[in-house]
Each structure stands twice: as C-alpha cells, then as structure tokens.
Amino acid sequence: MIQDIAPAVFHNEFHPRPPKGKDILLDFKGHEIALKKDGGFFTWPLAGVTDPLWLFDIDDTGIFLSDLSSFAPDYRSIFEMRYLRPLKDAFLAVTAWHLSCWYNDNRFCGSDGTRLVPSKTERALQCPHCGRIIYPRINPAVIVAIINDEDEILVTRYANGPYRRDALVAGYCEIGETLEDTVHREVKEETGLDVDELHYYKSQPWGLSGSLLAGFWCRTHGHREIRLQREELDRAVWRKRTDTFNLNDNPSLTAEMIHVFQEGGYT
C-alpha cells in the first residue's frame, strides 16, 4: 500500500528545522503539484526561496512547503501521484498535499478571525489572540469488501471524481458512529444490501482524501439484488476470484483487498 515505503522510514515526529542540502520543496495549486520539467521534485537550495515550512522527514530528507510559482513549474494532477515510483515518492507527495490543504483551509481563527500561526511545540496551528489550537484534519472512513454466498466480491465504480477503476463500497464515518456502524450504513445506502460477519482487515492513511481508511470484510446472504445509490456509484457487479479486475498499479487498501480475494484470501 502507499504507506509501505520500506526500507525508507516516514518520520512525522514534530521537530521543525531549517532546510539543508537536497531536502525536497513542494508547492500545490488546487489539485495540482508543482514539479520540475523532468517530472522530479524541486530540491534545496533554490535561489529566491526563503523560510520554507517543514512538514515531515522521509529518512533524513526533509519535506518542505514553499511557493514555487516563480520557477514556471510543470503542474501535474495530485491524483496521478499515487502511481509515482519509488513508492516513497507517491507517499510523500500525497501526504504533503494533505497537510498543504489543511494549512490553506485554516488561515484564520474560527472564533475571532485572527490569523493563525504554526505552533512551536506540535503539529498544530494556534490563535495568538484567544489561544485556540487547530490540529490536522483526518477523516475516518471505511473500505468494505462484500462477499456473497457464491464466493463473489462486489466491485463498484464511483459516480464522481477522477478515479474510474474498480473500487469497493466506501464511505466516511458520521457523528456518533462506530466504524462497524458505518459499514452497515454505507453498504445499505449505496447498494441496498444487508451484511454481517464483519472482520477488520487493515488501515491506511490516504492523503488524497485526507482520510484514515479502515478495511473490513463482510458477507451478505440470500437475496442479492443491488439497488445503487446513483449519486455515489454508477456500477456495482459481482466478480469471481478468477475474473479480471481493473486496478492498474494502485497502492491502495482497496486494491490490496481485491488482490487478497483474487489469491484465495478471506474464505
């Protein structure tokens, strides 16, 4: 999955520092990332760039946020970055974008309108007037692999967004819900199916949606008519383990769960 970057190590311990040679500089414009013309990342030092914002480290390489617009970068869709290799490049790009979106969305205090400043002691923003602290937003969500009595898996396609390959039922947790409650609700809303025998699989940070994903296996029995929630899905079909799936080289929790199913897992 996208976070499986070994032997590289992700260090998100909070220890902001000045940039040093070969640290990576990133910039984002909406859903696009600024890259060099050859598709590589900008690196320190870079003439005219001063005081970039430290985000985290990969091994001993710092990842920094800075304004790179004056360097005429090649802007590429952030959603393409999941396919970058080595995998650590994909992970650092989408994780940095997650943090960049949070910084951009939280420039002023929601209580008194004062401009927020980065905390000096933790990964947070703080209001210098009222002291309010704002932490990075992480959205809990579920990925659900549904198996029927014929040992088939329900494969979906999202109705919206840029991702048009095979997917599983997915959705965000609502206020007052457990992860298990979310599985039942999202499956019922999107497909009309009732499920049981829930088994937790794995979790995954997914910066492209600012989420922490929790994967679940579950089963549905008997009647298998699917009633699609067209606002969320435009397709849902049952597939056998020997069928062909449209996943490409996708380092997602969804893709891993489908691969596990193909290889005979969760019986």
Side-chain angles (χ1 to χ4, degrees):
M1 294 190 287
I2 198 167
Q3 73 271 25
D4 296 329
I5 63 174
V9 178
F10 172 52
H11 293 285
N12 67 347
E13 308 93 328
F14 189 74
H15 54 78
R17 59 170 177 80
K20 56 184 176 62
K22 301 304 181 182
D23 281 344
I24 292 174
L25 302 174
L26 298 177
D27 190 16
F28 302 93
K29 181 176 68 174
H31 289 82
E32 295 180 320
I33 182 173
L35 299 175
K36 296 192 296 185
K37 296 303 181 183
D38 63 3
F41 297 126
F42 288 90
T43 56
W44 182 266
L46 202 58
V49 173
T50 59
D51 200 26
L53 177 65
W54 176 85
L55 299 177
F56 52 83
D57 290 345
I58 302 287
D59 292 331
D60 61 352
T61 299
I63 314 303
F64 287 78
L65 194 61
S66 185
D67 182 359
L68 303 176
S69 57
S70 63
F71 297 93
D74 182 16
Y75 285 101
R76 299 275 298 278
S77 170
I78 189 62
F79 299 106
E80 296 177 19
M81 297 301 102
R82 75 178 78 193
Y83 302 115
L84 277 182
R85 297 298 179 271
L87 203 56
K88 68 179 179 65
D89 288 350
F91 178 73
L92 74 86
V94 301
T95 305
W97 185 70
H98 182 178
L99 280 170
S100 174
C101 291
W102 170 68
Y103 279 117
N104 187 62
D105 292 344
N106 293 276
R107 290 175 288 177
F108 299 94
C109 178
S111 297
D112 58 36
T114 303
R115 180 173 284 276
L116 299 172
V117 297
S119 168
K120 297 183 183 299
T121 60
E122 58 184 338
R123 187 174 281 102
L125 293 167
Q126 189 166 17
C127 176
H129 181 256
C130 71
R132 183 180 182 182
I133 299 175
I134 296 92
Y135 294 99
R137 175 174 173 172
I138 302 171
N139 306 304
V142 297
I143 301 291
V144 189
I146 307 167
I147 312 298
N148 66 21
D149 293 333
E150 283 70 45
D151 197 35
E152 298 169 318
I153 190 171
L154 188 66
V155 176
T156 70
R157 186 172 65 195
Y158 301 140
N160 306 296
Y163 187 75
R164 305 301 296 163
R165 299 185 184 275
D166 287 340
L168 300 173
V169 170
Y172 293 104
C173 297
E174 298 286 354
I175 291 293
E177 282 186 334
T178 64
L179 292 169
E180 293 82 0
D181 290 338
T182 304
V183 169
H184 287 287
R185 177 182 55 77
E186 286 290 344
V187 171
K188 189 69 172 180
E189 287 178 354
E190 294 189 3
T191 70
L193 298 172
D194 293 305
V195 294
D196 58 17
E197 300 180 46
L198 273 62
H199 294 276
Y200 171 75
Y201 175 60
K202 283 183 181 180
S203 64
Q204 177 177 47
W206 195 243
L208 292 175
S209 58
S211 303
L212 178 61
L213 308 177
F216 285 86
W217 300 96
C218 62
R219 293 192 177 275
T220 188
H221 303 285
H223 185 60
R224 296 187 293 121
E225 179 185 357
I226 298 168
R227 298 190 300 276
L228 282 184
Q229 185 182 34
R230 292 289 179 181
E231 298 85 359
E232 298 291 336
L233 302 176
D234 67 13
R235 185 182 67 188
V237 296
W238 294 106
R239 296 261 183 87
K240 300 182 182 300
R241 296 180 190 268
T242 55
D243 287 343
T244 299
F245 293 81
N246 181 14
L247 295 171
N248 204 346
D249 186 20
N250 185 0
S252 67
L253 177 59
T254 291
E256 179 167 304
M257 293 178 75
I258 291 176
H259 286 314
V260 168
F261 174 78
Q262 286 180 291
E263 295 166 2
Y266 190 72
T267 57

